[in-house]
Amino acid sequence: MTPGAPSHAQGPGYLWLAAAPLTLFLLLVWGLSRHALPWQFDVPWIPSLAISLAFRVDGLSALMLALITGVGTWVFVYASGYLAHEPRRGRLFAVLLLFMLAMIGAVTADNVILLFLFWELTSLTSFLLVGFNHEQAQARDAARQALLITLGGGLALLGGLLLLAQMSGSWTLSGIVAAAPALRDDPRLPWALVLVLLGAFTKSAQFPFHFWLPNAMAAPAPVSAYLHSATLVKLGIYLMARLDPAFNDLLLWEALLVGTGTVTALWAAVLALRERDLKRILARSTVSALGTLTLLIGLPAPTAGLAAAAFLLAHALYKAPLFMVAGNIDHATGTRIIDHLMGLRRAMPWTAAAAVLAGLSMAGLPLSFGFVAKDVITVAKAEAEILTLVSYATVFVNAIAVAVAGVAAVRVFWGPAEAPRGAVREVPWRMALPPLAIVLLGIEFDFVPTLADPLLIAAARAISPELGAVGLSASYGVDVLLSATGITVAVGLALFLSWDRLHQLLDRLHWLDRFGPEAAYALLLRGLSRLAAWQTRRLQHGRLGGYLRLNLAALVLMGAFAWLHTDARLALAWDWPPQAWAWAVAGLLMGAGAVAALRLRDRLAQLMASGLVGYGSAVLFLFAGAPDLAFTQFAVETILVVVAASVLPRYGPAPSGRASWRPLDFALAAAAGIGTFLLLAHLYSLPVNTELADWFSAHSLPEAHGRNVVNVIIVDFRALDTLGEIAVVAFSLLAALPLLAGLRKAHAP
């Protein structure tokens, strides 16, 4: 959109879609006022594995639902104005709705498999949202980076959840938490926790996976305001908080969360000083806040749960408006570079007001809910008696947060205009109202903290069950708090005034770009590309003989591995069935056909010999109790020989001379044949489990009205599988039709 475009040019757009999250938010409020937590819903899903569609809403889930639907309502309103002139906005709204539902499912799912499915769905939908402007290389790269990192972490998470479920004997998160005391001595527990935390760290952009979130700022402003303040990046925080009651007293858990959170918060705060793009500055501060949340969850103090819940809410209430402010500035001026932005308060007064109020909360100053959250955080750190180094690091992180708030709320809007601003105008009401509404809610929570007490206390007790009777309205050492706030503001003000000089200093440290996690990610991608190219040259060389050798070699290796890693051994002394003579005849036919196909040189003779192998297989099927399969094999083999014989003359005469002798190929084929025989013989010697066969035999006639059990299985019990196979064949035929038509034209006289 052209900066300064008149607001009346915008129609209602997709404003009505905001009714979806608003309705869910109102239902949540109604439910919380009428029904006590927790709410549970459980429907059998896979009864044979004791897996069910289990959902559970407690205080922590309710807080996340309030953020997802409450902030989501204003994000949808904001997006309807921001994307009013975007022709593809319908697709973005559809994906945004799907993402919201995936987030709701993830924070309410109690079953670990269900949680994983929603977890990965958030990764896929965020990939589509970040890469919305896919015509831009930056957006494509950022979306791919976010997808690879979060999906990779999701696979680690799946492994960890499966280990925890196996150890605890429960497929639910609540069951795992309840069984946690009995898991302390299990040697698999450290591996399970590391895998789970890998998934959480990648989703919540913890070091060394922190770099994907600032790069994801290529997404439109509504997406950034939603994904990176109240939803996606908080999902990893949610999972750590959900499992914290089970493992908070473990040294490994505390060390990983406190250590990783501290490093992430400090490093991201320093990197924020290197940025000039307002959205990337806010993104770096978001990573820093996520590190602080991880640190709080890892603290052993009971009030740490309350501190994490309060900061979780406070961060969403100031960071979503700030992202919207950055979007408004970009929308009105066409740039987000702070070097070209000053004195916008006269042209954009409502946006400036939202920025100032959100900046107050981010800096943790009085008259904001951020001040209340900092109060509880101070007490939690004091009770936990954390290391002095960690305490100093958090003070420095808070000071940089003050500086970032100053850049977003003061530098951009106050001072002399950087350039003539005659063409810059305030954004339409659908873009100005949402950030104001959200920050005013935060101010209301500051003046009347008892409004937030019930939800936050319930969430805090879900994180720290041992938390006593506390409330946000209580006083936590006002003198100490004001003193700490004064120090933080003083250091933050100094950093704000020195922002440009610090930026120039840090920008000269080019080694930060050449080394580190992001450089390692780029190096890994380049290595993967080269490996794929080398592998393609080696494996996809276009020679049929090479493909056959690779398959046979793989078969030999797998057979040898299976043979060496089994306790039972081959038992050749079995009772020969009456039809053994027919099997022997079939084996002789297949062997004779194979030898003849190798020795003959005439193509038609080779084709007939290979057909003999097929007919021998059909005889084997016939006397093994599978007549339908045998007749199918007879028909297919006959048709193949007829069709191939009709095509062979088009390719000229067969090459003259005797067949060449290839000892290596012969040895490989012989090893594959012998190995297959040994494996089959081994399987034949094992005891037969007839439970499934007996079930099909007993239910074939009464339930499917068929006496041919094989046909009943294919047509009734495996109907969808059979339909899928038919669809594959049909699609293959459709795909081959143009090729066949091209061959016909190529050979036409």
Side-chain angles (χ1 to χ4, degrees):
M1 178 179 176
T2 303
S7 61
H8 64 268
Q10 299 188 22
Y14 285 78
L15 180 60
W16 59 273
L17 282 176
L22 178 60
T23 302
L24 294 175
F25 178 76
L26 294 176
L27 287 174
L28 175 66
V29 173
W30 177 83
L32 291 174
S33 64
R34 295 295 186 90
H35 304 283
L37 295 173
W39 308 333
Q40 297 192 88
F41 176 80
D42 196 326
V43 173
W45 183 16
I46 309 176
S48 59
L49 298 178
I51 299 177
S52 61
L53 293 173
F55 295 90
R56 187 174 185 271
V57 177
D58 61 358
L60 179 59
S61 298
L63 176 60
M64 289 297 298
L65 288 174
L67 294 179
I68 294 167
T69 57
V71 175
T73 299
W74 291 112
V75 167
F76 274 77
V77 174
Y78 179 78
S80 70
Y82 188 89
L83 301 169
H85 296 278
E86 171 58 57
R88 301 170 299 170
R89 62 187 182 277
R91 187 183 71 183
L92 185 137
F93 276 104
V95 179
L96 203 59
L97 274 172
L98 181 60
F99 170 80
M100 180 185 72
L101 295 176
M103 278 296 306
I104 291 174
V107 300
T108 58
D110 195 28
N111 180 272
V112 294
I113 302 299
L114 200 59
L115 167 65
F116 172 74
L117 292 177
F118 284 121
W119 183 284
E120 295 297 76
L121 184 56
T122 61
S123 296
L124 291 174
T125 49
S126 63
F127 164 76
L128 297 175
L129 292 170
V130 173
F132 176 71
N133 298 316
H134 54 80
E135 67 280 355
Q136 301 174 6
Q138 181 185 6
R140 295 195 301 271
D141 293 341
R144 180 174 63 246
Q145 186 180 84
L147 181 69
L148 291 177
I149 293 174
T150 56
L151 277 184
L155 294 177
L157 172 67
L158 176 62
L161 291 177
L162 291 179
L163 277 176
L164 289 176
Q166 186 180 26
M167 289 186 291
S168 64
S170 173
W171 286 98
T172 62
L173 288 173
S174 56
I176 292 172
V177 172
L183 308 180
R184 294 294 190 269
D185 298 328
D186 196 312
R188 296 170 293 177
L189 183 60
W191 295 103
L193 294 183
V194 168
L195 289 173
V196 168
L197 289 179
L198 274 176
F201 287 170
T202 54
K203 185 71 79 173
S204 290
Q206 297 298 293
F207 186 90
F209 312 105
H210 60 284
F211 55 88
W212 73 261
L213 193 149
N215 294 333
M217 291 302 104
V223 173
S224 300
Y226 197 37
L227 271 64
H228 304 141
S229 65
T231 53
L232 178 70
V233 295
K234 299 289 178 64
L235 192 52
I237 301 297
Y238 162 80
L239 182 61
M240 289 185 283
R242 171 64 66 210
L243 295 176
D244 188 61
F247 307 112
N248 183 264
D249 57 341
L250 292 180
L251 179 61
L252 175 65
W253 180 268
E254 180 182 347
L256 286 176
L257 266 65
V258 173
T260 303
T262 303
V263 171
T264 302
L266 184 60
W267 185 240
V270 172
L271 291 181
L273 299 173
R274 301 187 75 212
E275 301 291 350
R276 309 302 285 177
D277 185 313
L278 183 57
K279 273 185 70 175
R280 289 183 63 88
I281 292 173
L282 294 175
R284 295 289 189 190
S285 68
T286 296
V287 176
S288 183
L290 294 172
T292 301
L293 281 167
T294 301
L295 163 66
L296 291 174
I297 294 172
L299 294 180
T303 53
L306 181 60
F311 189 50
L312 190 71
L313 177 60
H315 178 261
L317 292 180
Y318 70 71
K319 191 51 67 70
L322 286 175
F323 275 121
M324 292 177 183
V325 166
N328 289 352
I329 293 172
D330 189 20
H331 191 276
T333 66
T335 182
R336 300 193 306 258
I337 305 303
I338 60 174
D339 298 332
H340 309 303
L341 298 171
M342 283 187 74
L344 291 178
R345 71 183 185 280
R346 296 181 181 88
M348 308 177 68
W350 295 110
T351 300
V356 169
L357 294 176
L360 287 175
S361 186
M362 183 176 181
L365 298 177
L367 304 180
S368 69
F369 189 68
F371 181 76
V372 178
K374 292 289 178 65
D375 185 356
V376 189
I377 291 174
T378 301
V379 175
K381 290 192 297 183
E383 287 187 0
E385 299 180 353
I386 58 177
L387 295 175
T388 304
L389 184 61
V390 175
S391 181
Y392 287 161
T394 57
V395 171
F396 182 71
V397 167
N398 292 336
I400 293 185
V402 173
V404 171
V407 170
V410 178
R411 173 173 177 150
V412 171
F413 292 99
W414 265 256
E418 182 69 23
R421 297 295 178 187
V424 178
R425 302 178 185 177
E426 183 61 274
V427 293
W429 71 268
R430 281 181 287 169
M431 298 171 62
L433 178 60
L436 269 174
I438 297 174
V439 295
L440 288 175
L441 182 63
I443 292 178
E444 184 179 4
F445 285 158
D446 175 60
F447 282 104
V448 191
T450 53
L451 292 176
D453 268 359
L455 184 59
L456 289 180
I457 296 301
R461 287 188 175 135
I463 303 172
S464 302
E466 67 277 12
L467 183 66
V470 295
L472 295 179
S473 56
S475 175
Y476 292 104
V478 176
D479 295 337
V480 176
L481 176 63
L482 291 177
S483 175
T485 302
I487 295 174
T488 301
V489 172
V491 177
L493 181 60
L495 292 173
F496 169 69
L497 296 175
S498 307
W499 186 281
D500 291 331
R501 280 176 289 179
L502 290 172
H503 170 77
Q504 294 173 2
L505 177 63
L506 292 173
D507 198 42
R508 296 193 190 102
L509 303 179
H510 300 294
W511 60 269
L512 291 176
D513 300 318
R514 293 195 302 269
F515 305 99
E518 189 167 6
Y521 168 82
L523 181 63
L524 181 62
L525 276 190
R526 289 195 298 270
L528 184 62
S529 177
R530 292 172 183 171
L531 176 63
W534 174 84
Q535 185 184 46
T536 301
R537 289 193 301 270
R538 294 292 181 182
L539 300 180
Q540 303 296 327
H541 42 64
R543 296 188 296 273
L544 183 60
Y547 297 153
L548 185 59
R549 294 186 193 98
L550 285 174
N551 286 327
L552 290 178
L555 180 63
V556 171
L557 290 176
M558 287 188 296
F561 181 83
W563 181 257
L564 293 174
H565 288 77
T566 182
D567 295 332
R569 283 294 177 260
L570 179 64
L572 292 176
W574 62 71
D575 295 332
W576 288 86
Q579 65 272 25
W581 63 271
W583 293 0
V585 171
L588 289 174
L589 286 175
M590 289 187 286
V595 173
L598 288 174
R599 302 303 299 168
L600 295 172
R601 298 301 297 164
D602 183 77
R603 283 201 178 101
L604 185 58
Q606 286 180 327
L607 179 63
M608 300 300 292
S610 64
L612 193 61
V613 176
Y615 284 127
S617 302
V619 172
L620 182 63
F621 296 147
L622 182 63
F623 287 93
D628 48 353
L629 186 59
F631 292 138
T632 302
Q633 180 69 30
F634 276 128
V636 169
E637 200 65 46
T638 302
I639 294 172
L640 176 63
V641 172
V642 171
V643 172
S646 64
V647 173
L648 281 177
R650 296 179 180 271
Y651 294 92
S656 59
R658 296 178 58 82
S660 58
W661 171 251
R662 297 176 180 172
L664 182 60
D665 290 351
F666 177 81
L668 188 60
I674 295 172
T676 304
F677 170 77
L678 292 175
L679 284 175
L680 292 176
H682 171 67
L683 292 175
Y684 192 83
S685 65
L686 296 177
V688 179
N689 186 347
T690 63
E691 182 178 352
L692 191 59
D694 294 340
W695 187 90
F696 280 120
S697 299
H699 293 80
S700 176
L701 184 59
E703 293 192 8
H705 309 289
R707 298 182 182 277
N708 189 318
V709 178
V710 176
N711 287 348
V712 168
I713 293 173
I714 294 174
V715 176
D716 292 283
F717 295 119
R718 290 180 51 201
L720 290 177
D721 186 34
T722 304
L723 178 62
E725 294 172 354
I726 295 173
V728 169
V729 174
F731 290 146
S732 301
L733 177 60
L734 291 175
L737 284 178
L739 178 61
L740 296 175
L743 290 174
R744 180 180 298 176
K745 292 180 180 179
H747 294 289

